[in-house]
Amino acid sequence: RISSQFSKPFTVIIEGNIGSGKSTFLQHFENHKDVCVLSEPVEMWRNCAGHNLLANHYENPVKWSFTFQSYIQLTMLQRHTFVTSKPIKLLERSIFSARYCFIEQLFRRGTLEAPSVSVLNEWFKYVITKFDVSVDLIVYLRTSPEVVYERVLTRNRKEEQSVSLQYLKDLHDLHENWLFHKTAFSRPAHVLTLNADLGRLAIREEYQKCEDHLLSVTG
Ligand SMILES: Cc1cc2cn([C@H]3C[C@H](O)[C@@H](CO)O3)c(=O)nc2[nH]1
């Protein structure tokens, strides 16, 4: 598929558990002239009109999950519809993982109740039919929960102090069923799975494999 500045760029979403190395992966492409990198708008989630919704979510998930996930859905739509003249657009996560992984996990844990999930789901269905949120490739950074748990502890992001191994195991299973076993939900594009348990140096070869694939599809 040839992408020129008049057609939609080749759009890739990077999916994976918390701590799976998505930011490191995106940094690898940050300065590439043909790639528009749109990382997760965490700073927007930390400051929505002065409110730190990310902190609220982890401090009192039952009270704030709906608010947080509702705002995430909006910010991911803004990312999907961001216009770039570059031939490749890389998104960190997507409106799809928002619904199929994070909202789903909160529902199964009983943090989000059915009425809240129904409203988020109605928005999700409306948005994916009325806006062009199409994707050409999903890169799945596949990890083990124990590995990402260590990384989350080491990274020590202040809002994530309460993230447990079980939380990461639940999220891992949802990513696995969606993207690897393909037994849950639907996938908006072909999935390229990378072994993201690898250490920083070894993972560069995985990224290189992916870079060759990405740059080859855009001619
Ligand atoms: C699409 C999407 C991303 C995302 C991230 N998060 C959390 C996980 C991490 O602690 C932090 C940054 O990814 O935000 C969430 O709770 N729900 C989300 N939904």
Side-chain angles (χ1 to χ4, degrees):
R1 195 167 89 75
I2 306 299
S3 292
S4 73
Q5 71 269 36
F6 301 114
S7 72
K8 192 167 150 58
F10 186 81
T11 303
V12 186
I13 55 176
I14 316 303
E15 300 289 1
N17 207 341
I18 303 170
S20 56
K22 295 180 302 308
S23 306
T24 310
F25 178 89
L26 290 171
Q27 279 158 20
H28 187 76
F29 296 93
E30 200 81 52
N31 303 316
H32 199 291
K33 65 177 176 45
D34 291 336
V35 182
C36 169
V37 175
L38 294 173
S39 53
E40 224 170 32
V42 181
E43 289 321 307
M44 293 174 78
W45 305 342
R46 283 185 159 134
N47 182 4
C48 175
H51 305 291
N52 184 338
L53 303 182
L54 180 64
N56 290 356
H57 164 73
Y58 279 120
E59 280 156 22
N60 188 342
V62 171
K63 181 171 184 177
W64 294 111
S65 285
F66 179 82
T67 307
F68 182 41
Q69 292 303 324
S70 180
Y71 188 51
I72 288 178
Q73 199 154 230
L74 169 63
T75 58
M76 296 320 282
L77 173 58
Q78 290 167 335
R79 283 287 199 268
H80 280 284
T81 54
F82 181 88
V83 176
T84 176
S85 59
K86 294 187 176 179
I88 300 175
K89 192 167 129 183
L90 287 191
L91 294 181
E92 186 178 9
R93 293 222 176 97
S94 64
I95 196 160
F96 302 101
S97 46
R99 173 64 192 84
Y100 300 149
C101 298
F102 289 92
I103 292 170
E104 192 63 22
Q105 184 209 17
L106 293 164
F107 178 47
R108 296 187 185 185
R109 294 168 69 93
T111 308
L112 276 174
E113 309 227 18
S116 301
V117 175
S118 305
V119 170
L120 290 169
N121 196 49
E122 288 307 310
W123 273 106
F124 174 73
K125 289 188 300 182
Y126 180 83
V127 160
I128 63 174
T129 51
K130 297 293 180 186
F131 293 85
D132 180 359
V133 293
S134 57
V135 169
D136 297 297
L137 178 68
I138 303 170
V139 173
Y140 175 32
L141 299 186
R142 189 171 186 238
T143 52
S144 316
E146 295 72 15
V147 169
V148 294
Y149 184 58
E150 276 313 305
R151 290 181 189 169
V152 169
L153 292 181
T154 313
R155 176 172 70 188
N156 195 27
R157 191 182 268 159
K158 67 179 168 61
E159 295 92 348
E160 293 173 349
Q161 294 313 306
S162 62
V163 172
S164 66
L165 177 57
Q166 191 56 52
Y167 195 85
L168 296 168
K169 281 179 174 174
D170 294 347
L171 264 179
H172 171 74
D173 292 344
L174 283 160
H175 279 85
E176 285 285 277
N177 290 337
W178 177 39
L179 297 175
F180 191 74
H181 306 302
K182 301 188 172 77
T183 52
F185 301 116
S186 62
R187 284 144 300 282
H190 170 69
V191 181
L192 179 66
T193 298
L194 300 184
N195 171 7
D197 270 349
L198 297 170
R200 277 185 182 279
L201 289 179
I203 205 162
R204 292 219 168 283
E205 288 157 36
E206 289 286 294
Y207 291 170
Q208 193 57 50
K209 238 180 2 183
C210 186
E211 182 170 351
D212 301 342
H213 178 93
L214 279 191
L215 301 181
S216 67
V217 293
T218 54

Coordinates of all heavy atoms in Angstrom, one line a residue, residues 29 32 34-35 88 210-219:
F29 N 11.3 5.0 17.1 CA 10.9 5.5 15.8 C 10.7 7.1 15.9 O 10.4 7.7 14.9 CB 9.5 4.9 15.4 CG 9.6 3.4 15.1 CD1 9.4 2.5 16.2 CD2 10.0 3.0 13.9 CE1 9.5 1.1 15.9 CE2 10.1 1.6 13.6 CZ 9.8 0.7 14.6
H32 N 12.2 9.3 13.2 CA 12.2 8.9 11.8 C 11.4 9.8 11.0 O 10.2 10.1 11.4 CB 11.6 7.4 11.7 CG 12.0 6.7 10.5 ND1 11.5 7.1 9.3 CD2 12.8 5.7 10.2 CE1 12.0 6.4 8.3 NE2 12.8 5.5 8.8
D34 N 9.7 9.7 8.4 CA 8.4 9.3 7.8 C 7.4 8.8 8.8 O 6.3 8.3 8.4 CB 8.7 8.1 6.8 CG 9.4 8.6 5.6 OD1 9.4 9.8 5.3 OD2 10.1 7.7 5.0
V35 N 7.7 8.9 10.1 CA 6.8 8.4 11.1 C 6.3 9.4 12.0 O 7.1 10.2 12.6 CB 7.6 7.3 11.9 CG1 6.6 6.6 13.0 CG2 8.2 6.2 11.0
I88 N 3.6 7.2 7.7 CA 3.3 6.2 8.8 C 2.9 6.9 10.1 O 3.4 7.9 10.4 CB 4.6 5.4 9.1 CG1 5.0 4.6 7.9 CG2 4.3 4.4 10.2 CD1 6.3 3.9 8.1
C210 N 10.6 -5.3 13.1 CA 9.4 -4.6 12.9 C 9.6 -3.4 12.1 O 8.8 -3.1 11.2 CB 8.9 -4.2 14.3 SG 7.3 -3.5 14.2
E211 N 10.7 -2.7 12.3 CA 10.9 -1.4 11.5 C 11.0 -1.8 10.0 O 10.5 -1.1 9.2 CB 12.2 -0.8 12.0 CG 12.6 0.5 11.3 CD 13.7 1.3 11.9 OE1 14.2 0.8 13.0 OE2 14.2 2.2 11.4
D212 N 11.7 -2.9 9.7 CA 11.9 -3.3 8.3 C 10.5 -3.6 7.7 O 10.2 -3.1 6.6 CB 12.7 -4.6 8.2 CG 14.1 -4.3 8.8 OD1 14.5 -3.1 8.9 OD2 14.8 -5.3 9.1
H213 N 9.6 -4.3 8.5 CA 8.3 -4.6 8.0 C 7.5 -3.3 7.8 O 6.9 -3.1 6.8 CB 7.6 -5.4 9.1 CG 6.2 -5.8 8.8 ND1 5.8 -7.0 8.1 CD2 5.0 -5.1 8.9 CE1 4.5 -7.0 7.9 NE2 4.0 -5.9 8.4
L214 N 7.6 -2.4 8.8 CA 6.8 -1.1 8.7 C 7.3 -0.3 7.5 O 6.4 0.1 6.6 CB 7.1 -0.3 9.9 CG 6.3 -0.6 11.2 CD1 6.5 0.5 12.2 CD2 4.9 -0.7 10.9
L215 N 8.6 -0.1 7.3 CA 9.0 0.8 6.3 C 8.9 0.1 4.9 O 8.8 0.8 3.9 CB 10.5 1.2 6.6 CG 10.7 1.9 7.9 CD1 12.1 2.3 8.1 CD2 9.8 3.1 8.0
S216 N 8.8 -1.2 4.9 CA 8.6 -1.9 3.6 C 7.2 -1.7 3.1 O 7.0 -1.5 1.9 CB 8.9 -3.4 3.8 OG 7.8 -4.0 4.6
V217 N 6.2 -1.6 4.0 CA 4.8 -1.5 3.5 C 4.5 -0.1 2.9 O 3.5 0.0 2.3 CB 3.8 -1.9 4.6 CG1 3.9 -3.4 5.0 CG2 4.0 -1.0 5.8
T218 N 5.4 0.8 3.2 CA 5.1 2.2 2.7 C 5.9 2.6 1.6 O 6.0 3.7 1.2 CB 5.3 3.2 3.9 OG1 6.6 3.1 4.3 CG2 4.3 3.0 5.0
G219 N 6.7 1.6 1.0 CA 7.4 1.9 -0.2 C 8.5 2.9 0.0 O 8.8 3.4 1.0

